[in-house]
Amino acid sequence: MKFNEWKNYFLQNQYHFADIDFDLPDQLSEQEKSLVYSSLQQFQRGEHSEGKHLFAFAKRFPDPEYLECIKLFIPEEQMHAIVLAKFLKKNKIPLIRHHWVDAVFRWLRKLAGIENTVRVLLIAEIVAKVYYRGLHDATNSVLLKKICNQILRDEDQHIRFQCDALRVFFKKKSMISKLFTRSWQYTLMTGTSIVVWMQHRKVLKKSGYSFHRYFALSMNIFSEAERSINREEQLVTINDKMAA
C-alpha cells in the first residue's frame, strides 16, 4: 500500500479494542497465572514505548506521508501495552519497569537511522506474531484470547507496513549493500528467536510448540517478509500461514 493508504488504515483502526469488556468476570486460574506471569510482564513492557526516536527518524523519510503514519502507528503500539497492563492488573500481576531484553531492543533501535529502526521493529513484530498465537492457546481466558486476537490482527498489518517502508530503502541499495543488509537481518532474526524461546518457552510449550516448530514458523514468516521487501511481492496473510 502507499503511505496515504496506510494513514487511512491507522485512522480507521484507532478503536480496535473498543469491543473488549474488562468488567466481565474472567480471570486466570492460579496455574495459568503462574504460567504466564513473567512472560506477560515482559511482553507488556516491550510493547510500551514513547517512540521518540522513531518519530525523529521518520521526519527524514523520503515520503512525508510516512511521518503522518508514524504519528498514528505509535499510539496503536502503545495501546497494546495499555490493554495488556489492564489485563495484568485485573489478575493482580504487577507491571515491571525494566527488562534486559527490552533494553537491548531499545538500544538496537537507536544504533542508526530510520532503516535500522524499522528493521528492528520488523523483527520484534514477527516474533510477537508467534508469541501471541501461543499465548492465545496457553490459557482458557476468553478475555486474554480476545486481546491476543486483536493484537495478532494488528501485527499482521504492522509487518506489512514495515515491509513497505523497508522496500523504499532496499530498492536503492547496491548488490553488496543488499547482501550485507540481508545477512544482518537474518542474524538478528535468528538471535532474537532464540532469546524469545529461552524467555517464553513455558508459554509456547503449553500451546504445543516445540523449539523446532516455533523456530521454523518464525523464520518462515521472516522469509515471507524478506521476499516482500526484496521482490515487491504481496505479503501472504500470515494468520493463514500460521493456521496451516
Side-chain angles (χ1 to χ4, degrees):
M1 285 199 295
K2 296 179 180 178
F3 290 114
N4 63 326
E5 294 174 303
W6 277 115
K7 178 182 175 181
N8 291 333
Y9 162 76
F10 287 120
L11 285 170
Q12 293 168 9
N13 201 46
Q14 288 182 94
Y15 304 103
H16 48 157
F17 288 100
D19 64 332
I20 295 181
D21 186 358
F22 281 90
D23 294 327
L24 291 175
D26 179 297
Q27 289 188 300
L28 299 170
S29 68
E30 286 303 313
Q31 185 177 11
E32 290 172 336
K33 183 175 177 179
S34 176
L35 174 71
V36 304
Y37 195 100
S38 63
S39 182
L40 262 178
Q41 284 179 319
Q42 290 179 40
F43 258 83
Q44 190 278 333
R45 180 59 203 168
E47 296 279 10
H48 187 276
S49 175
E50 294 179 358
K52 292 187 293 186
H53 291 276
L54 176 59
F55 183 78
F57 288 144
K59 292 179 179 178
R60 299 192 289 273
F61 195 84
D63 187 338
E65 287 284 351
Y66 181 74
L67 179 60
E68 297 304 310
C69 294
I70 292 300
K71 289 178 182 178
L72 297 166
F73 167 76
I74 291 171
E76 185 162 300
E77 282 281 290
Q78 291 171 337
M79 184 55 67
H80 293 177
I82 292 169
V83 170
L84 288 172
K86 290 178 71 173
F87 182 81
L88 289 172
K89 290 175 182 177
K90 182 179 178 68
N91 286 276
K92 297 180 173 56
I93 300 175
L95 306 184
I96 59 173
R97 293 188 177 184
H98 305 285
H99 191 273
W100 71 268
V101 175
D102 177 57
V104 169
F105 261 88
R106 291 174 190 271
W107 176 74
L108 285 170
R109 290 201 300 267
K110 297 173 186 178
L111 275 180
I114 181 68
E115 182 183 0
N116 179 73
T117 298
V118 174
R119 287 193 172 275
V120 174
L121 280 172
L122 176 62
I123 296 298
E125 285 165 345
I126 289 171
V127 297
K129 279 291 304 179
V130 184
Y131 172 78
Y132 283 114
R133 177 55 59 191
L135 181 63
H136 175 279
D137 296 339
T139 79
N140 293 315
S141 169
V142 175
L143 177 58
L144 184 56
K145 288 178 186 296
K146 286 184 176 181
I147 292 170
C148 288
N149 280 336
Q150 183 55 57
I151 292 178
L152 284 165
R153 285 191 288 269
D154 291 345
E155 296 295 1
D156 260 337
Q157 297 304 319
H158 291 178
I159 291 170
R160 291 186 176 97
F161 175 59
Q162 311 304 356
C163 287
D164 282 355
L166 289 171
R167 193 177 301 119
V168 173
F169 297 106
F170 200 81
K171 288 190 295 186
K172 299 177 181 179
K173 292 181 181 293
S174 66
M175 291 300 294
I176 296 296
S177 182
K178 286 180 179 179
L179 179 61
F180 175 81
T181 299
R182 295 179 72 177
S183 298
W184 157 242
Q185 189 82 347
Y186 182 84
T187 301
L188 181 60
M189 181 69 215
T190 301
T192 301
S193 297
I194 293 171
V195 169
V196 170
W197 173 261
M198 295 302 296
Q199 293 290 311
H200 304 281
R201 62 187 179 275
K202 286 199 304 181
V203 170
L204 293 165
K205 284 182 176 180
K206 178 65 176 179
S207 59
Y209 287 99
S210 64
F211 174 74
H212 175 75
R213 182 187 174 207
Y214 154 79
F215 186 76
L217 180 55
S218 300
M219 297 308 292
N220 195 12
I221 298 171
F222 169 75
S223 295
E224 288 180 0
E226 282 291 289
R227 285 194 295 270
S228 176
I229 295 167
N230 302 345
R231 302 178 187 173
E232 302 192 26
E233 293 178 358
Q234 179 65 40
L235 192 61
V236 174
T237 300
I238 295 171
N239 268 329
D240 292 343
K241 176 62 68 175
M242 297 184 72

